[in-house]
Amino acid sequence: MKSIVSNTLTQEFRNYNRLYFLVKDLLDFIKKIYSRNPVNDLKKCLADEKARYQFVIRAGTDTEVLWNDGRQSKTEPVYKRSIEFDQNHPKRMKQSKDPFEAALEEQEESPPNSPVGEDELNSQTPNEPQNQTNGGHNLLVDDDDYDEIGPNVKNSSHPSSTSTSKLHSTIVNANVATGATTKNKEYDDDEEEENMEVELSKFPSSADPTKMAKMQAILSQFTEDQMSRYESFRRSALQRSNMRRLLVSITGSQKISLPMTIVVCGIAKMFVGELVEKARIVMTERKESGPIRPCHIREAYRRLKIEGKVPKRSVQRLFR
Amino acid sequence: MSNPSTGASSKSKVSSSQPSETSFKRKRGVFQKDLQHMMYGFGDDPNPLPETVALVEDIVVEYVTDMAHKAQDIGSKRGKLSVEDFLYLIRKDLPKLNRCTELLSMQEELKQARKAFEVDEEKLGTLE
């Protein structure tokens, strides 16, 4: 399990947070690019009168967005950009697909009447693995937490990409690709989590420059082991669907709202944290090491009960 | 009143006796995979022992059950169950309370962002 944690979670974790900010960046980007006449230009892009579609080519540091015209076998450029970033970044080598780029690959394969587009794209795909990022995760509460947010992290990120039609997904890819490369520019040798914290500061509601600076300082000092543990901590979440099912069965009512599920997942996660941390304290008191055993958890639970952090049953549970 | 068992599971179903109202078949290991990652994140081994994970899951389910029952008791006074009831229950526990308010506000933000994105698509539809 550990190797999975260190490779894919790094990328997934980065994307998990990145997606949240990409959604907002996307909107700004669309508006900026079509700033002359936003709605009409967007329409022109998405529902072209010649029934063309746009596609993105990324080769090395260059990114281009082009119209593809199958009938005339020529392409018309829309947008071009060159980004300098570190090709030899170790993490970049291990990357796999971004959900938006996965949708783009889908798009590539389907259109039958665009030979030029397919050839060009196929010739570029060898280069893409080094530029793409991993999105193949699920998500939380969080699902990740932010199923919508979560890792929940888990099932979260895909609704936004898969719900758009294929035509739309290309424009989304165009913007995300260029948006992604700007973020790539900020990566250095250190962990991407630093950059996520940087991105966090763009949003006034969660921004706190001193706090962000502190986090960055701490994160830069992490060893690999600590970083992977921190990723697990941030990224793990209880599945919202399972939690919802549980709540429905407990309350007997079908009306469990989404915020309620999110809140309960969050509370449960923190409770697990309290249990595990206290179990570790118990272990150090007993001078034991290794994986946590059930006896430690039971002792931790007993102590939490005494502290009053566990709700007491008003009716005794008999005949268990 | 039994909960319809959802999906096929290779794990054995344990019919546990439940307090008063409902009895349902609870599958073992509903949260197992997530809990493994979570426990590692909080300080356990990268591969936690399966019996530990099972115990933690039982404890968490019991915790959620008790919380939900208490919330229902509170909610029944005003009519129906809402998020506020859960927030009231953890009012004394500051870390949890702050975390929950943060989660709720982030969810709102995401909802706004998504709504703004979809408005563009709608305008597209109406113009055509």
Side-chain angles (χ1 to χ4, degrees), chain B residues 8 11 13 16 83 94-95 110 115:
Chain B
K11 302 204 171 37
K13 293 183 189 171
S16 50
V83 194
L94 279 174
L110 271 180
K115 204 200 281 187

Side-chain angles (χ1 to χ4, degrees), chain B residues 1-60:
Chain B
M1 179 166 119
S2 53
N3 196 27
S5 53
T6 48
S9 167
S10 54
K11 302 204 171 37
S12 58
K13 293 183 189 171
V14 175
S15 177
S16 50
S17 62
Q18 294 296 312
S20 50
E21 313 91 80
T22 63
S23 68
F24 63 97
K25 290 196 175 82
R26 185 151 59 88
K27 284 188 253 185
R28 294 270 149 186
V30 182
F31 294 120
Q32 203 184 32
K33 288 206 182 85
D34 309 314
L35 270 183
Q36 281 184 348
H37 290 299
M38 210 183 279
M39 287 173 70
Y40 171 57
F42 280 120
D44 197 356
D45 247 30
N47 291 310
L49 298 174
E51 51 260 26
T52 316
V53 176
L55 178 62
V56 171
E57 181 188 341
D58 283 344
I59 292 179
V60 164

Side-chain angles (χ1 to χ4, degrees), chain A residues 58-181:
Chain A
R58 245 208 263 167
T61 58
D62 295 335
T63 303
E64 290 185 23
V65 178
L66 304 138
W67 280 114
N68 173 62
D69 196 339
R71 289 174 294 158
Q72 298 180 15
S73 299
K74 70 174 181 194
T75 59
E76 175 192 317
V78 174
Y79 182 77
K80 189 172 169 152
R81 179 181 205 147
S82 275
I83 299 290
E84 291 298 321
F85 62 92
D86 185 11
Q87 290 279 5
N88 297 322
H89 192 293
K91 297 212 160 114
R92 194 159 320 293
M93 294 303 156
K94 300 179 204 160
Q95 285 164 3
S96 52
K97 294 206 183 125
D98 186 296
F100 295 116
E101 287 170 299
L104 172 64
E105 311 268 342
E106 246 179 71
Q107 174 75 46
E108 267 174 50
E109 289 155 12
S110 56
N113 56 346
S114 53
V116 176
E118 276 182 7
D119 287 345
E120 277 187 320
L121 283 168
N122 286 338
S123 68
Q124 293 303 329
T125 41
N127 289 329
E128 292 201 14
Q130 72 182 130
N131 298 334
Q132 285 167 353
T133 51
N134 182 6
H137 65 280
N138 338 322
L139 187 160
L140 216 137
V141 310
D142 49 349
D143 111 245
D144 312 161
D145 282 352
Y146 310 105
D147 205 344
E148 285 60 1
I149 312 176
N152 353 327
V153 125
K154 302 216 165 176
N155 298 310
S156 58
S157 54
H158 292 8
S160 45
S161 61
T162 52
S163 62
T164 56
S165 68
K166 281 195 171 174
L167 253 185
H168 295 180
S169 69
T170 48
I171 184 66
V172 165
N173 294 331
N175 296 330
V176 169
T178 48
T181 48

